[in-house]
Amino acid sequence: MTPLHAPLHSNASGLRAAPSGRDPARHPGDPLAIALVSEHASPLATLGGVDAGGQNVHVAQLAGALADRGHRVTVYTRRDDAALPESVPLRPGVMVHHVPAGPAEQLPKDELLPYMRPFARYLADRWREDRPDVVHSHFWMSGLAGLWATEGTGTPFLHTYHALGTVKRRHQGAADTSPPTRVAHETEVGLGCDRVVATCRDEVEELAAMGIPRAKADIVPCGVDPAAFRPDGPAAPRGPLRYRLLHLGRLVPRKGAAVSIAALGRLPHTELVIAGGPPPSAMDADPEVRRLRALAEEAGVADRVRFTGAVPPAAVPGLMRSADLVLCPADYEPFGIVPLEAMACGRPLVASAVGGQLDTVAHGVNGLLVPPGSPPLLAAAVRLLLADPALRAEYGRAGRRRVLERYSWQRVAGATEESYRAVLAAHAPMAGAA
């Protein structure tokens, strides 16, 4: 078996040679052929599962926004179902390509590392015939595949982590199921790529602590579609209680649903909707749902907590609009798409002061930040906003403005393209010399 660290290309120098297929006279503004590598997070996946969340949305929306800018985008993701065709058009200008790497079945992402070598080999073989102008990988295992597949070819290679093993290990300790080599591989990718496209300031500092220079990173946040997520439009039906709080996201412990439930005991006349997780038909069998239900019973709030299960993407904006406040009390959050969706819908936030939420939630402007893991402080912030409808409305308007100014996918794609162009420009002398 080929060891994980063995090169796919024979290039004794180890330098990124200029690929023969690229025209060194390319005009700086020409459309690009862009390869997005997202090994476990398919843009076609149903959201809400343990391994299907913000990264899937990010890759799908970034691909579409890049295509809107005239580029040709191919998303490479692992085939996890034998019935999937090789390629599926996602929308005009975007193709999703299913890579045969490992068994054609759904596997937890933490079990996919052994299949990244065949994933990379497949990419390298395919790209010999149809080489992209830029490769942009998403998540650390995709980064390994992208790094190995482009090694020695001169193909510009950028990487977005979406989450870091050092942070996960710090917070989860022995409960962290990541492969033990994750941090070492993340460092390898960060040092080996041309550019890191980080999503927030906190990530850049975490990378610096790993030995990846701050100057190697561009900060380009995640985005949201302000046309789909907007303040006006139908809202989901509400119950008889005066206030509604919404906690939306994957049902994994780090997202803090237990904190939201504990805070609810201090908030009378209020219901808590917990959206996400498995399909409604599978809720009773889900261990995390059972744990959270038990916590709600112990706290005496089970009659005021409603679990929806997985929510179709088209229904999320209406659910957002039905809430008085959106809660994001994660223990840690590499970036967090939910705050952007709430802001775009004009809903104020109470969020933990961690990760990307330190960038998206401006304390006292569009929401309130509280320390993670503190139900009393979460409840106090919620009480403050529930008692002041005018302040909630002001925060909601500010959040919408902030989204339009900073977080539309058009702006995100434009900033991402700037990173691509900078790396291409740095490669141009090498291509000309070849």
Side-chain angles (χ1 to χ4, degrees):
M1 179 177 293
T2 304
L4 282 176
H5 63 273
L8 292 179
H9 305 273
S10 59
N11 184 329
S13 69
L15 297 176
R16 289 177 176 269
S20 58
R22 183 179 299 120
D23 177 7
R26 169 185 293 280
H27 188 277
D30 284 350
L32 302 175
I34 300 167
L36 302 183
V37 183
S38 182
E39 98 293 338
H40 77 275
S42 169
L44 303 172
T46 300
L47 302 183
V50 172
D51 290 332
Q55 184 180 328
N56 306 70
V57 174
H58 182 101
V59 172
Q61 294 291 335
L62 177 62
L66 288 168
D68 287 341
R69 296 176 66 85
H71 305 299
R72 177 169 61 90
V73 183
T74 304
V75 181
Y76 293 90
T77 192
R78 197 184 75 87
R79 182 192 296 274
D80 61 5
D81 186 333
L84 289 171
E86 181 180 75
S87 294
V88 179
L90 180 66
R91 44 144 295 166
V94 181
M95 188 69 68
V96 177
H97 191 92
H98 294 112
V99 175
E105 61 187 53
Q106 292 189 2
L107 297 171
K109 67 175 183 289
D110 288 333
E111 298 178 10
L112 296 180
L113 179 59
Y115 308 118
M116 289 304 100
R117 177 58 61 177
F119 196 115
R121 187 174 295 110
Y122 181 92
L123 294 179
D125 290 344
R126 181 174 177 84
W127 291 345
R128 287 190 188 99
E129 302 298 324
D130 184 16
R131 185 167 303 284
D133 296 302
V134 175
V135 173
H136 183 181
S137 56
H138 295 262
F139 199 63
W140 68 277
M141 283 183 284
S142 299
L144 284 177
L147 181 67
W148 293 334
T150 60
E151 191 174 19
T153 69
T155 305
F157 170 51
L158 299 90
H159 179 68
T160 296
Y161 284 95
H162 291 278
L164 289 170
T166 52
V167 179
K168 185 176 182 183
R169 187 171 298 171
R170 184 186 311 143
H171 286 275
Q172 295 193 5
D176 179 10
T177 57
S178 300
T181 57
R182 173 174 176 171
V183 175
H185 282 314
E186 286 180 334
T187 304
E188 176 187 358
V189 171
L191 295 175
C193 68
D194 292 294
R195 201 83 182 145
V196 173
V197 183
T199 57
C200 65
R201 294 171 296 169
D202 184 68
E203 182 183 348
V204 174
E205 295 307 310
E206 293 285 353
L207 290 170
M210 294 165 56
I212 298 167
R214 292 178 180 85
K216 195 170 187 177
D218 294 333
I219 298 178
V220 180
C222 299
V224 68
D225 181 358
F229 290 87
R230 61 186 193 275
D232 59 305
R238 286 179 55 145
L241 295 177
R242 185 181 305 170
Y243 303 113
R244 167 176 282 189
L245 309 178
L246 174 63
H247 180 112
L248 173 67
R250 291 183 295 133
L251 285 192
V252 292
R254 76 167 180 88
K255 292 290 187 178
V259 178
S260 295
I261 289 171
L264 188 65
R266 301 165 181 262
L267 300 166
H269 314 299
T270 304
E271 69 169 333
L272 172 65
V273 176
I274 297 179
S281 60
M283 293 288 281
D284 291 344
D286 185 81
E288 181 65 3
V289 173
R290 292 201 301 267
R291 182 181 80 92
L292 294 173
R293 284 174 172 168
L295 290 175
E297 288 284 354
E298 292 172 12
V301 296
D303 60 331
R304 295 193 284 127
V305 179
R306 182 164 72 87
F307 294 86
T308 70
V311 178
V316 173
L319 189 58
M320 288 278 187
R321 289 190 288 263
S322 75
D324 296 291
L325 286 174
V326 176
L327 308 183
C328 300
D331 295 334
Y332 67 96
E333 187 59 79
F335 182 80
I337 296 290
V338 172
L340 296 186
E341 294 174 341
M343 291 157 60
C345 288
R347 290 302 177 265
L349 290 147
V350 178
S352 50
V354 297
Q357 293 177 170
L358 292 165
D359 287 1
T360 54
V361 183
H363 183 74
V365 176
N366 66 311
L368 297 176
L369 291 169
V370 298
S374 176
L377 292 178
L378 180 67
V382 170
R383 276 198 305 271
L384 177 67
L385 290 177
L386 291 183
D388 194 337
L391 184 61
R392 293 203 307 272
E394 180 184 332
Y395 281 10
R397 290 190 295 269
R400 176 71 180 181
R401 288 194 301 270
R402 194 171 175 87
V403 160
L404 296 176
E405 292 168 358
R406 304 183 182 201
Y407 297 112
S408 71
W409 280 111
Q410 290 79 8
R411 289 185 176 273
V412 171
T416 304
E417 183 182 332
E418 288 181 13
S419 293
Y420 295 169
R421 298 288 187 190
V423 174
L424 280 164
H427 277 250
M430 185 188 304

